Amino acid sequence: MKVIRMAKLIVLGGALILIGLICWWFFGHHVQQTGRATRTKTGQEATVVVNGGYSPATIVLKKGIPAKVNFEMHDSTACLSHVVVEQLGIDKDLTKQPVTTITVPTDQAKEFNYACGMNMFHGKIIVK
Ligand SMILES: [Cu+2]
């Protein structure tokens, strides 16, 4: 009886460590993928490179400063040809010009999700 209980504890402990490692890996990965906006004369600007995905996928903007997010297109697949920000009613064709700029409201702290036209690749714009 005692041996079985011990075995269960070891399995449970192992599972918890594994979950912890997976979370740590994902968290670390996301931190690397976060981009901050740079200040310009008129506000702030951030650039997302579109090439087999979004890099960085997460953009952090400062609240209260007019913001522009540039999507720099380096991808030729149909999948990433559009960027959609549903909360802002934005659906832009990125293939028409090398850089597509969208304006993001920063009057309140908020998170905006964006995705490719097929909703396969995802990114986030965080206003804080
Ligand atoms: Cu897609």
Side-chain angles (χ1 to χ4, degrees):
M1 201 57 189
K2 259 189 181 169
V3 173
I4 290 169
R5 202 178 285 168
M6 276 285 282
K8 274 185 180 172
L9 271 175
I10 289 165
V11 169
L12 188 72
L16 283 175
I17 289 167
L18 194 66
I19 289 166
L21 277 174
I22 290 166
C23 288
W24 170 79
W25 189 82
F26 271 103
F27 185 67
H29 196 68
H30 284 161
V31 165
Q32 277 184 349
Q33 281 282 294
T34 301
R36 285 182 183 277
T38 51
R39 287 298 300 264
T40 60
K41 274 179 191 167
T42 52
Q44 57 183 328
E45 233 175 280
T47 298
V48 175
V49 174
V50 184
N51 193 0
Y54 299 116
S55 179
T58 303
I59 293 285
V60 178
L61 301 174
K62 276 214 168 77
K63 191 183 151 190
I65 300 164
K68 281 177 180 168
V69 176
N70 304 313
F71 287 90
E72 200 181 302
M73 193 58 165
H74 293 283
D75 197 285
S76 55
T77 60
C79 178
L80 285 153
S81 64
H82 278 245
V83 69
V84 179
V85 192
E86 217 176 274
Q87 289 148 288
L88 298 173
I90 290 173
D91 183 346
K92 295 258 190 190
D93 188 345
L94 302 179
T95 61
K96 304 279 182 206
Q97 56 284 310
V99 176
T100 305
T101 302
I102 65 165
T103 305
V104 179
T106 57
D107 51 315
Q108 51 182 310
K110 206 173 172 179
E111 280 188 24
F112 299 97
N113 297 307
Y114 65 88
C116 72
M118 300 153 199
N119 209 16
M120 288 153 66
F121 287 96
H122 303 98
K124 204 180 270 185
I125 300 163
I126 301 168
V127 179
K128 66 179 185 187

